[in-house]
């Protein structure tokens, strides 16, 4: 998934981004509301982790603005305020969940998964396509009953392609979904991951087709 982390504390932001990256997520960090708005204007996100006390405003105002604009990207609020009334307030304003600082990273990861399951619905269920079975909740792939070991970015690439079989994804679109802004990568990196994933899909009817100058699509024979 691609996350937007809106947090002005450098140490906490680095720790959260590093932990989420280990799970294969791309994380863009914004230290201010203005930076978050710039990120949202340039990219789409699967989840926003939002602090309340930010240098240029209140995260709750940002939350309200997102919902008034009918943007339904899931948002988890992060704050040191632990009162029940504070939690109720942000949930009533449109937040999908709330976590109190300091928090355990395992709890944050669990809350992210829970919110994505609620929002994703069918997208979070086991998917079968052309002999490939992918379980996004356990991050496992099997072909003809045999489990295949895929690295985090390979899993993410497969998840993207499986989300819309036969749809063409350009290299730029795949880069946008697989990597954060802070990662210095070229579109040639996509060729590497596609080649690796092709090998992992051998034995199934699923093929990653290259459309020269256009992009890639997953198809089944």
């Amino acid at each position: 998934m691609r996350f937007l982390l809106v947090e002005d504390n450098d140490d906490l932001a680095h720790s959260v981004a590093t932990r989420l990256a280990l799970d294969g997520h791309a994380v863009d960090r914004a230290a201010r509301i203005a930076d978050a708005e710039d990120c949202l204007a340039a990219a789409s996100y699967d989840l926003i982790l939002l602090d309340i006390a930010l240098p240029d405003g209140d995260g709750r105002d940002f939350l309200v603005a997102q919902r008034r604009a009918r943007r339904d990207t899931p948002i988890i609020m992060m704050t040191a305020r632990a009162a029940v009334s504070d939690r109720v307030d942000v949930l009533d304003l449109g937040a999908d969940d709330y976590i109190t600082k300091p928090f355990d990273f395992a709890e944050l990861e669990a809350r992210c998964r829970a919110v994505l399951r609620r929002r994703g619905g069918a997208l979070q269920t086991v998917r079968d396509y052309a002999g490939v079975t992918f379980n996004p909740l356990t991050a496992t792939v099997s072909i003809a009953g045999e489990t295949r070991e895929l690295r985090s970015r390979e899993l993410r690439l497969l998840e993207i392609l499986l989300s819309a079989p036969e749809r063409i994804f350009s290299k730029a679109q795949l880069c946008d979904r697989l990597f954060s802004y802070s990662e210095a990568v070229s579109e040639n990196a996509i060729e590497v991951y596609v080649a690796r994933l092709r090998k992992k899909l051998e034995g199934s009817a699923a093929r990653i087709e290259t459309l020269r100058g256009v992009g890639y699509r997953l198809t089944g024979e």
Side-chain angles (χ1 to χ4, degrees):
M1 298 292 174
R2 186 166 188 173
F3 291 0
L4 175 60
L5 172 61
V6 189
E7 169 61 59
D8 65 318
N9 183 295
D10 291 336
D11 290 339
L12 177 59
H14 176 74
S15 297
V16 171
T18 299
R19 182 64 178 257
L20 294 173
L22 290 174
D23 290 336
H25 303 299
V27 183
D28 292 327
R29 186 262 179 123
R32 299 159 50 90
I33 291 175
D35 298 332
E37 291 172 344
D38 289 342
C39 288
L40 288 170
S44 297
Y45 294 93
D46 299 291
L47 180 67
I48 298 173
L49 299 173
L50 176 63
D51 189 19
I52 286 183
L54 293 162
D56 59 343
D58 192 312
R60 290 168 296 189
D61 294 333
F62 176 82
L63 166 64
V64 170
Q66 295 302 302
R67 297 308 185 227
R68 284 180 177 170
R70 299 187 181 279
R71 300 183 185 123
D72 63 353
T73 304
I75 296 177
I76 297 178
M77 303 298 293
M78 304 185 302
T79 180
R81 303 179 183 183
V84 172
S85 59
D86 291 322
R87 297 197 295 271
V88 171
D89 285 346
V90 296
L91 292 172
D92 285 343
L93 290 174
D96 294 85
D97 204 349
Y98 182 108
I99 190 166
T100 303
K101 301 176 184 177
F103 49 75
D104 185 90
F105 288 121
E107 180 185 0
L108 178 62
E109 291 169 326
R111 288 183 179 275
C112 289
R113 290 193 298 270
V115 166
L116 291 169
R117 281 199 301 272
R118 292 199 298 269
R119 284 299 187 100
L123 293 178
Q124 295 296 317
T125 61
V126 175
R127 294 173 231 174
D128 290 295
Y129 180 77
V132 177
T133 301
F134 173 55
N135 188 330
L137 299 182
T138 59
T140 56
V141 176
S142 62
I143 295 174
E146 176 189 344
T147 299
R148 299 288 171 90
E149 295 293 332
L150 271 67
R151 296 180 179 178
S152 58
R153 287 265 164 73
E154 295 166 357
L155 280 167
R156 179 59 179 146
L157 176 59
L158 177 60
E159 184 175 24
I160 294 167
L161 296 173
L162 277 173
S163 70
E166 304 297 337
R167 172 183 166 183
I168 300 172
F169 291 90
S170 68
K171 286 184 179 179
Q173 288 174 322
L174 293 175
C175 271
D176 182 65
R177 301 287 292 276
L178 285 172
F179 304 101
S180 65
Y181 289 129
S182 62
E183 295 176 284
V185 296
S186 69
E187 292 185 0
N188 290 336
I190 297 299
E191 296 178 8
V192 174
Y193 285 107
V194 167
R196 290 177 180 174
L197 184 56
R198 279 186 174 131
K199 291 182 179 179
K200 300 293 178 67
L201 296 180
E202 290 178 356
S204 73
R207 295 185 298 111
I208 302 176
E209 184 178 8
T210 300
L211 290 86
R212 192 172 300 277
V214 180
Y216 303 95
R217 67 180 173 189
L218 184 68
T219 185
E221 298 176 350

